Structure formats: C-alpha cells, structure tokens
Amino acid sequence: RVAKSVWYRFTPSGNAVYTISTCTDAGASTTVGDTILAVYTSSGGCNGPFAVQAEGDEDCGLNGSQAAVSLLLTADTTYYIVVWKFCDDCVDDGENSLQLIFDDSVPPPNDTCTSALPIALNLPVTGTTIGANNSYELTGTNGFWGQDQVVSPARGRDVVYSFTAPRTGDYSIKALHYDVNQDLVLYVLGACSAGASPVTISNSLAAANRSRVNSAEEITGLHLTSGQKVWVVVDDHNNANPGSSFTLEVTETRREQEPNDMPAQASVLACGIEGSISPETDADFYILGRFPAGSRAFALVDAEAARNPDLDLRVTTDVDTLQYDNDSNDISFGESAPNIAGTPLPASSTFLLVNYNGNLRPSEPYRLYAVVQPPLEQAVVETEPNDDPANATVADANYFYGTLKGPAPSTDVDTYAFSAAEGDLIFVSLDGDPHRTNSPINASLELLDASGNPLLSVNDAASSSVTNGPPGFSPSSPSEGLVYRSPVEGVFFARVSISPLAAGQAAFGNYLLSISKNCVIGSSGLNHRPALTNVVLPSPVTAGTAVPLTGAVWDPDTGDALSLVVTWGDGSTNLVESPEPGLIELNLTHEYLLPDTNYVVTVVAKDRAGNTASVSRPITIQPTALVITFAPGGPVQIGFQGRPQGRYRIEKANTLPPVWSELQTVTADATGKVLVTDTQPSPSSRYYRLVILN
C-alpha cells in the first residue's frame, strides 16, 4: 500500500538523460525507508490528463527499498514527479523526510574506445546512446562499401564496443531495435583513436548507413584474422538526436554463392544466410530440400538493415510456386519484407526464391531463416488451459497446432514454453491458415522472457489467403514470424492471440506454430545426425549377378548436405553425394566376381557438420556353375567362375541320391575360372560339383 504522496514539477532547459533519485546513497536526505516514484507529463498542467513516462521502486544500492529512475527529458517540457511512501500497516513511524536528487547527462560507461565494452561472438548485448557524447566523426567514404550506402559524418551521440575475432574469417556486425525516428550509423575501427572529442576518423574498416527510417544497420563480410581486435561504434547521423537503446550482435558471415539465379544453381542454406539483390533483376535460389509429402516449410527474410526491404519470397519446385509472400513482416524485420509459414511440400526437391519486388533496384543485406517441420498431423495439439506462462503447453517437438476459440473476436490466448541456450537463434513462425481452406486468422505473435515479459511482438495486418492469383504470385496465406538471439540460457514463451485489427471470420480459428533454435527443429537446437532406414541387401546371391542395395537416408536439417559411402567388402566403394537434406532414396547395384561367405557391406551417411550414421549387412556370394551340353552323347563342358586361386576337384554323379566320382583335378586360372570337359558323359550324367582342395 502507498500513502503520503508529494508532487514536484521540473522543466529542463536542454535535452539530457536525468537520474531522479530519493536514494540516501546518492546523497538525498531521505528518511522514508521505502519510496515509490513516478514521472508524468500532462497536456492540461495540474488538471491532467497525466501520461506516465517512468516508474521506480526498489532501485537504490544501500537502501534497496528506495526509488530512482533514469530517463531522457526533453527541453522546455514540464514533468510532474510524485513520490509515495510505501507502508504495510500505514502506521506513522515518524520517518517522513524526503529529498529528490536530479543528476543529468550521465554518459554510458563505454562513451569512448578507451572504455569500450567487450562483445563476444553470437552473444548479443543491449546498449544505449542516450546521454552519450559525440566522441567520433567520420570523414571520407572508404568504409561505406556495398549496395545502397548513404555516406554519413556520424556526428551524433556514440558508444563503443570491442570485438576480438576468435578465428580467421568473415564477420557480420549488426545493430538492431534502434529508434526509427533517428538515423543509426554503424562503423568499425582498426585502432582505438585518442584525442579531443570529437576525434575524426578517416580510415574506418567498414561502415553502414543505408536507411534513415529503419531500426537496423549491418556490416557484412568484414574479414578479420584470428585474434584481431576491432572497435565497433554505434553512432547517429544527426547531432540533435537524443540517442536510442539498441541491441548489438556479431556473427560469422554465411553468404549466398553466386550464381544462384535458377534452381540448378541454388545455394545451400545456412541459418541466417546473407544475400544481396544485385543487379535489380537478380533472383536468389536456395536449396530447401526433399522431404516427405505434406511436410511444412517456414521461412522469414529479415531485410530491416536494407535501405529498402521490399523483397519477395517464394517456396518453389523447379517448375512451380508453392507459396508466395511480399510483405508479411512486422517493422522489426522490414515491414515490406516477407515471411512464409506452413507451406505444404511435395515429395520432390524444393527451393526458396528471394528477389526484389518489381525488379526496381538492387538491395542488401538480407538474412534468410528457414526450417521444415513434419506434416500437420504430427504437430502437438495445444493443451488448454494455456492462457498464461504458468500453464503453458510444452512438447519436445516445439511444433504445435492450436485454436483461438470463437466467437469473434476471440479472447483466447495460447502460450507455449520452450528453453534456449545462451547464443541460440530463436525462430518462431505462425501459419494462419494451416488447412489451406481459405479460412485464415489474423493473429498476433509474441516472444516472452522467463518472467513473462514481452521481448518481441509481431502483428502484421495481412489476413487473407489467395489460391487463384497470377502464376508465381499465389497461393499465399497470412503468417507471422520473428527471430531473436538469446543473450541468456533459460525458459522462453511464445504467445498467440487474435490481433486487435482482426474482424469477422479472421478473428477466430486455427493456426500452426513452429518454434526452432538455430534453424533446427525439435528441442535440442543442435544438428541432427542423419538416419539410415530400411536398408535391404539380398543374401545369398550368385557371383556375377547384380546385387541391389535399397533404403533411405533421413536428415531433417535445412542447410545440410549429405554424402553416402558404400563399402561392398570386396575392395569396391561407391560415393553418393546429395546437395539437399531431407529424404534421400538409396538404390545401388553391385556385381561380385568372387564367391565368399564373409563379405560385409557397410553404408556410412555423413552430413555437412560431420555427423555420421552407419549400417552393416553381411552377404554370401555363391559360385556359379556353367554347364554347356553339346550334341547328344557328345562332351559336356563344366565351368565355375569367380573362384579364388587354388586347386579344385570336379566330381560327377549319375544317380540320385548321388554317388560321386572324380572327373578331374584342376587349378583356377588368373580370371577365377575353373573349366573342365567330360568327354565320356553317361546319358544320365546330370550332376557335377566342385570340391576345394587348397
């Protein structure tokens, strides 16, 4: 409970970050042991209405029950601050003194490169330029390489991070979730430059300033050697901008392989693979894979770091479009960029196609994320009630079928729990028309942290399905998608609800939800080993006969490529390579020349990550007798092929049961043949056999 509030009014003369504190350890002569603080603005002065700007409770060091807030205050704006005394039983204890401390423009701790904060590979950090100084400015254009760059002097507030490359390679550096009303600039320095602020930089290693209205900028393909240290500066084009919070991450570059303008040239997928549309007519194909019929594809193109993210995405075969989208993203991933969810796949090779909408201009960079889930029937049905994190539906598959119950608009909320490791890339995708019956829903999708607080929310307005549009531009269905790299290990929640924009039939119904980590389906987030199934090898088989080996290899990981090595046991091998994951049929034949009872056939499947699976099958190869009968009463020639070197006795019998008598003793020749002639066969001579002597 709260009691005894006190109001203050404050109008700053300039834009600055202020800390407003009741804390005794900050110097305030406050005797109230437990305070609560709130900051408001008001369009009607003391008459209101009041709009909350910040709230504080239990923020201090020595006395953790006292309150403080830090926020950006705008010049010539009147703020109203109220402080309450918190009490359990509200009995006056006599401790009622209160003092506010105002401390303005405290810069972030990494305001210069000498105090740069380290950032590690695949571990995002959150930061802010609010309150920072203009410590660095750029001259020249050498760092602004790539498509669609806008050269900037970067005269705004800036903060600095350091990164040391763990190995030699190409790296991507991305700042995201920046205020779209400001103009983010991102660049990299090869050395920490000292001097009076602002220090002028003429030799940045790389820089990005493609858009003045997007929330992200990205440097792609920056080559660093093992152990090389660089300084990453998050800056602003405009020195009048107050700064913004943001997220910064460094990843290894995984880039498309040109040319990939047609399915036969398609690039192998990687999680978050980066691409460019250049020239403006460029089309980028990626191998999705060959999966069992009815499997479901989920894909998202993040183009928020591009100057214009207006890209198209298609799921295709080599001749047909299975699903099309051009603008189903929310603003965090490029509002005019695409995502696709739940595309039913045929049992044939499938691809993803990215191109610029309308062939109007080059565009870069974009990142592509994709997974393939099993058919709809294998999705786990939600368990009600699951309206909140405490009752969330959980399943190892991380693949769910749910219903937002009517009547419209649905008030149902469905929550799903899953875990992620530090650095995992979470990709959540929702199909709003899973049965493809033209009865879509308009859904909202959220990612929550372990405490149930929203981390990301997407709510694109698209809510219609199209089945008979122009060729190449249909079918299409509504979807929602988001990606998030986890800075911590823990539990997360995906929450599905009806969009506030939904109406009529789109305001309730069914959906299909895919949750993946590192573009790998299931709960592990780790590459799956390939699996060999139904491997069949007939035995025994006669020497000289084609032996069929059948079966299948299964690998569900998009972006994988498979290789098969078959060792036949006689010194022969076959290598089968497939550039696509999914279900690969095994259908080989082999001819054995020499008979043996100890052959073992081994099949080893290996994926791109080096994970293997193997199956061994024994096989017996029997010798083949060749009997050639000449004219009646004439000689009979008897031959056995495929024999190892050695001496053999040929015997014959004229009756059954056989009574064997020696015909001849011979040695196998260099080709493995044993050949004799019976010059005096009896009319009833019909049986011959081979006896191994040594």
Side-chain angles (χ1 to χ4, degrees):
R1 297 177 58 186
V2 294
K4 297 185 177 182
S5 62
V6 178
W7 285 82
Y8 299 84
R9 182 169 55 198
F10 176 67
T11 304
S13 59
N15 296 340
V17 175
Y18 283 82
T19 297
I20 306 172
S21 175
T22 66
C23 305
T24 54
D25 57 344
S29 300
T30 301
T31 62
V32 179
D34 196 344
T35 56
I36 298 175
L37 183 151
V39 181
Y40 299 89
T41 55
S42 171
S43 59
C46 291
N47 294 322
F50 292 95
V52 64
Q53 303 298 312
E55 296 176 324
D57 183 22
E58 300 184 351
D59 307 296
C60 304
L62 295 176
N63 187 343
S65 296
Q66 292 175 327
V69 297
S70 293
L71 75 163
L72 175 67
L73 301 185
T74 305
D76 301 322
T77 300
T78 298
Y79 295 87
Y80 299 86
I81 302 106
V82 61
V83 182
W84 292 273
K85 177 178 181 178
F86 181 87
C87 57
D88 291 322
D89 53 15
C90 293
V91 175
D92 189 359
D93 57 7
E95 300 293 338
N96 299 315
S97 297
L98 178 68
Q99 183 181 22
L100 287 187
I101 299 293
F102 285 72
D103 189 3
D104 65 327
S105 297
V106 177
N110 56 333
D111 197 36
T112 66
C113 65
T114 56
S115 59
L117 297 177
I119 183 172
L121 186 68
N122 295 329
L123 288 180
V125 297
T126 56
T128 182
T129 55
I130 297 174
N133 296 301
N134 178 26
S135 301
Y136 303 96
E137 293 183 359
L138 295 175
T139 62
T141 63
N142 62 300
F144 291 94
W145 35 264
Q147 297 283 347
D148 266 355
Q149 291 276 24
V150 179
V151 175
S152 170
R155 291 178 177 148
R157 303 172 186 271
D158 46 52
V159 290
V160 188
Y161 296 82
S162 64
F163 173 72
T164 302
R167 51 190 162 267
T168 298
D170 294 338
Y171 292 86
S172 294
I173 302 171
K174 185 176 184 180
L176 57 160
H177 307 316
Y178 202 81
D179 184 351
V180 296
N181 296 309
Q182 301 183 54
D183 190 356
L184 170 65
V185 182
L186 183 68
Y187 51 96
V188 179
L189 308 180
C192 181
S193 301
S197 296
V199 177
T200 300
I201 306 296
S202 61
N203 57 346
S204 63
L205 299 179
N209 183 43
R210 290 183 170 87
S211 175
R212 296 187 175 182
V213 295
N214 290 0
S215 63
E217 293 286 356
E218 182 172 3
I219 294 168
T220 67
L222 177 63
H223 187 76
L224 300 175
T225 58
S226 179
Q228 183 178 354
K229 183 177 182 179
V230 295
W231 285 261
V232 180
V233 184
V234 181
D235 209 326
D236 199 293
H237 173 77
N238 192 339
N239 58 9
N241 285 340
S244 171
S245 59
F246 59 85
T247 299
L248 182 68
E249 63 180 32
V250 181
T251 57
E252 290 180 282
T253 300
R254 300 286 187 267
R255 192 160 182 85
E256 62 167 321
Q257 297 297 309
E258 290 280 9
N260 58 348
D261 297 342
M262 57 186 65
Q265 301 171 325
S267 294
V268 175
L269 270 173
C271 191
I273 193 169
E274 298 174 9
S276 299
I277 301 301
S278 179
E280 60 271 13
T281 56
D282 187 21
D284 294 340
F285 277 91
Y286 298 88
I287 299 170
L288 190 58
R290 181 191 296 264
F291 293 87
S295 297
R296 298 295 187 111
F298 298 80
L300 180 146
V301 174
D302 178 4
E304 179 65 358
R307 185 174 182 180
N308 191 329
D310 194 8
L311 300 178
D312 285 357
L313 174 64
R314 292 171 175 84
V315 182
T316 78
T317 64
D318 56 0
V319 296
D320 192 21
T321 296
L322 303 175
Q323 190 165 339
Y324 164 82
D325 186 67
N326 71 333
D327 63 353
S328 285
N329 278 0
D330 210 329
I331 190 169
S332 296
F333 306 101
E335 194 168 13
S336 56
N339 76 79
I340 282 174
T343 307
L345 301 180
S348 60
S349 297
T350 53
F351 307 87
L352 296 175
L353 167 60
V354 181
N355 69 294
Y356 193 85
N357 184 26
N359 297 331
L360 296 179
R361 64 183 300 160
S363 182
E364 73 170 13
Y366 67 80
R367 292 194 185 193
L368 176 61
Y369 304 88
V371 296
V372 175
Q373 294 279 10
L376 173 65
E377 296 74 20
Q378 297 184 38
V380 177
V381 179
E382 64 164 320
T383 303
E384 290 281 6
N386 61 346
D387 293 355
D388 53 57
N391 296 292
T393 299
V394 183
D396 188 63
N398 279 343
Y399 180 45
F400 302 97
Y401 176 84
T403 303
L404 296 173
K405 298 182 293 294
S410 177
T411 59
D412 190 14
V413 177
D414 295 338
T415 309
Y416 301 88
F418 63 97
S419 61
E422 186 180 62
D424 274 350
L425 191 287
I426 299 168
F427 171 31
V428 186
S429 182
L430 184 140
D431 176 4
D433 189 7
H435 296 288
R436 295 304 190 268
T437 54
N438 284 332
S439 55
I441 64 171
N442 186 359
S444 175
L445 177 63
E446 297 171 278
L447 179 67
L448 314 179
D449 66 13
S451 299
N453 301 311
L455 295 169
L456 276 176
S457 176
V458 288
N459 183 20
D460 175 70
S463 60
S464 61
S465 293
V466 177
T467 59
N468 59 352
F473 295 88
S474 70
S476 64
S477 293
S479 56
E480 299 289 349
L482 61 85
V483 292
Y484 176 82
R485 191 174 296 278
S486 174
V488 296
E489 179 179 357
V491 174
F492 294 84
F493 301 94
R495 184 163 64 191
V496 182
S497 59
I498 283 294
S499 167
L501 306 174
Q505 294 296 314
F508 70 98
N510 305 314
Y511 61 86
L512 189 61
L513 181 69
S514 167
I515 302 171
S516 63
K517 294 177 294 184
N518 308 315
C519 301
V520 175
I521 65 174
S523 62
S524 72
L526 302 174
N527 178 277
H528 291 91
R529 291 181 178 275
L532 287 159
T533 60
N534 302 320
V535 176
V536 176
L537 184 72
S539 181
V541 178
T542 302
T545 303
V547 180
L549 175 64
T550 59
V553 187
W554 168 242
D555 191 321
D557 300 329
T558 55
D560 239 332
L562 298 171
S563 64
L564 288 166
V565 176
V566 180
T567 303
W568 295 99
D570 63 351
S572 301
T573 60
N574 279 114
L575 173 64
V576 179
E577 294 187 294
S578 170
E580 59 185 350
L583 188 63
I584 310 300
E585 298 292 340
L586 179 62
N587 193 352
L588 298 173
T589 60
H590 181 67
E591 182 177 322
Y592 289 89
L593 297 178
L594 301 178
D596 202 314
T597 60
N598 297 315
Y599 288 133
V600 175
V601 178
T602 301
V603 183
V604 179
K606 180 187 291 187
D607 66 13
R608 184 180 297 277
N611 291 322
T612 61
S614 63
V615 169
S616 295
R617 296 283 187 268
I619 185 170
T620 297
I621 305 300
Q622 297 176 329
T624 301
L626 300 178
V627 178
I628 302 175
T629 303
F630 294 94
V636 176
Q637 190 176 60
I638 308 100
F640 296 88
Q641 68 177 14
R643 300 309 303 169
Q645 291 292 315
R647 295 177 66 250
Y648 300 89
R649 183 175 66 240
I650 310 298
E651 297 179 340
K652 71 176 182 178
N654 297 326
T655 61
L656 284 179
V659 176
W660 297 102
S661 61
E662 179 178 349
L663 174 62
Q664 190 176 345
T665 299
V666 295
T667 301
D669 66 17
T671 66
K673 289 183 179 179
V674 175
L675 188 65
V676 297
T677 300
D678 186 359
T679 57
Q680 296 179 340
S682 165
S684 59
S685 294
R686 294 179 297 170
Y687 307 103
Y688 298 89
R689 73 177 182 180
L690 184 73
V691 179
I692 301 173
L693 298 180
N694 55 39

